Amino acid sequence: MTNEEISKILAEMAVLYEMESVEFKPRAYERASDGVAGLQEEVESVYKKDGIKGLMKIPGVGRGIAEHLKQLFSDGHFKEYDRLKKKFPVDIASLSSIEGVGPKMIKLLYNQLKIKNISDLEKAAASGELRAIPHIREKMEQKILKGIEYKKSGGGRVEIGKLLPLARAMKSRLEKVKGVEAIEIAGSLRRRQETIGDLDFLAVSENPEMICEFFSKMPEVSHVFAKGPTKVLVRLKQGLDADLRVLPKVSFGAALQYFTGSKDHNVEVRKIAIKKGYKLNEYGLFKSADTRGKKRRTTQKETLVAAHTEEEVYKKLGMDTPPPEMRLNRGEIEAALKHRLPKLVGYGDLKGDLQTQTDWTDGANSISEMAEEAMRLGHEYMAVTDHTRSLAMTGGADEKKLLRQMSEIDKLNLKFNPRSGGQKSKFKILKGAEVNILKDGSLDIDDKTLAKLDVVGAAVHSFFNLSREDQTARIIKAMGNRNVDIIFHPTGRIINRRKPYDVDIEAIIKAAKRTGTILEIDGHPWRLDLSDEHIRMAKEAGVKMVIDTDAHSVHELSYLEYGIAQARRGWAEKSDIINTLPLGDFLKCLKK
DNA sequence: GCCGTTTTCGGCCCGACTGTTTTCAGTCG
């Protein structure tokens, strides 16, 4: 049984207990579900190796759940799950994915109308049957129908590359609304996650109603879910939700803190606050009078301790401020408490791009156009890495074509960097290629030609469904070639479209260390490959990486930003990324 | 059911908005 399956069962348990109004267990099972989901190792092999004790080391798993898992592994039964499923034989995962439908409603839907899945629900809503249920009138009925429609249209997480430009454009218009003092993008977009579930805007305004009104009427908005004086929730035409929160100026830092971290990060930080006798919410860090007891909320005797900036809030909690990209509760809180956060590679640290395609193959622009744009972006170098021959559909280059391209690059370098004359440009185009790793691990360009190139990237573009062993061996064999400097997009995934091929990434990282091969962080927002977790593994293994764009046109050269964000989420520091080095030092890190 | 700088009991993150009903539970982020 895979971790994903186990994690799903635990998450479903959380909902089932919530339906039963059991206290505290839902949170406990959710945490266990997250703990399993975030585990590198297979839970089942943990159990085989270390038994119950091993299971209990998984975050969120204690004796109780460990015993359940043991039973699951030994005879395939999770007794409590079976019992609850018998009572509520419904498709919980899909029903709860409908906006506005939660555990309590799922329970009512089943008990009163025997609704088990989305299609039952849709029929009942369309026929008016739903109104037999207390608390459901016309508005709820409409909300449910809309939610189903959205789900059917494939609503979900969107690639960051599609959203960051949109969010920035919206932000710049929001900034101009009268009374607005500050606008910031928070949430998963500020963390620069690979995919974004919704957009979060924070505002400080002297006139909250006006900014809320403006926001709800922006041309990007297709539907307004909720609009109050300090909060607006909308759906965008893009197909995802966006919300705006308006806050007092004094609270802006606290709000940014509150709305930037992942849920897990925030829960942990708030627990630290409680331990230290504080209360933390989006308005600030407060020295609290007794706030226990849900009914009586003490509003007196709470004094504001920190709120103006994020740094202030973290500092009062005894922590350094983790960069937004790290706020996922993956060890950054502990590091921040110990003042041992890594100094992440910065957005301005890269000196050059190392994967670009031109109109010699499937790129849109000429070498010269790409080079000029790279110069404009402030790069010192740019490798041209067109596809090689076995990728026939792209007009991949053979040895002869590569040699011709090399001499073209020589000419351009002379033009950009004349030996005599006053021009001080230090820019250099590097001769490169993205060679194909063939099924058996050999390359589709001969070694003699490869040796003439400045930088060689090798990549898998075929036979994606080899067995794990064969796929891994194939790539490792290519890494053994003394001409291969970099493995491009090491797992081959395309976000939301193609799963990574089955490959033992630990073995690849080991082989990279052994052979001195560099691993790429492909910054193209469709790829972002290596993933953040793999970057962290590579860094810990002491393997060097590069960040580049895989640009196929001049405007894609700006994708470095996404690659850097990815590296930062993988805790990479400047020294882990060799294209932070000036050209001479960079070239020394390559094999030849 | 989990967890421990209030360690084997007694806590468990916190607030805004909605719908439907008159005081709040449910859902969401």
Side-chain angles (χ1 to χ4, degrees), chain A residues 442-455:
Chain A
S442 62
L443 306 173
D444 68 344
I445 295 291
D446 65 42
D447 283 337
K448 203 176 115 202
T449 310
L450 291 181
K452 291 182 178 153
L453 293 166
D454 297 313
V455 49

Side-chain angles (χ1 to χ4, degrees), chain A residues 11 26 103 118 176 184 249 252 285 291 330 438 446 480 486 511 560:
Chain A
I118 291 185
K176 290 181 191 125
E184 204 50 72
K249 188 173 186 175
F252 200 56
L285 184 68
T291 53
R330 290 189 192 158
L438 302 174
D446 65 42
I486 308 172
L560 274 188

Side-chain angles (χ1 to χ4, degrees), chain A residues 313-359:
Chain A
V313 172
Y314 281 110
K315 196 171 174 194
K316 283 286 179 199
L317 296 175
M319 304 167 71
D320 292 338
T321 301
E325 296 90 336
M326 293 180 77
R327 298 186 204 166
L328 294 161
N329 193 27
R330 290 189 192 158
E332 78 283 0
I333 290 176
E334 206 185 0
L337 282 165
K338 290 182 180 158
H339 308 292
R340 275 191 209 147
L341 285 170
K343 193 169 180 327
L344 302 183
V345 59
Y347 284 95
D349 282 346
L350 295 188
K351 298 275 194 287
D353 202 332
L354 294 167
Q355 195 196 157
T356 67
Q357 273 73 225
T358 71
D359 61 5

Side-chain angles (χ1 to χ4, degrees), chain A residues 197-211:
Chain A
D198 60 8
L199 294 183
D200 299 286
F201 291 96
L202 299 183
V204 173
S205 175
E206 291 170 348
N207 192 341
E209 280 85 5
M210 188 178 278
I211 178 84

Side-chain angles (χ1 to χ4, degrees), chain A residues 169-214:
Chain A
M170 289 175 75
K171 181 186 169 197
S172 73
R173 271 177 284 141
L174 287 163
E175 275 166 347
K176 290 181 191 125
V177 176
K178 204 176 155 202
V180 169
E181 292 176 47
I183 292 277
E184 204 50 72
I185 299 166
S188 54
L189 190 56
R190 183 158 181 248
R191 296 197 302 273
R192 299 288 191 266
Q193 301 239 143
E194 294 168 355
T195 60
I196 308 297
D198 60 8
L199 294 183
D200 299 286
F201 291 96
L202 299 183
V204 173
S205 175
E206 291 170 348
N207 192 341
E209 280 85 5
M210 188 178 278
I211 178 84
C212 286
E213 182 69 15
F214 182 90

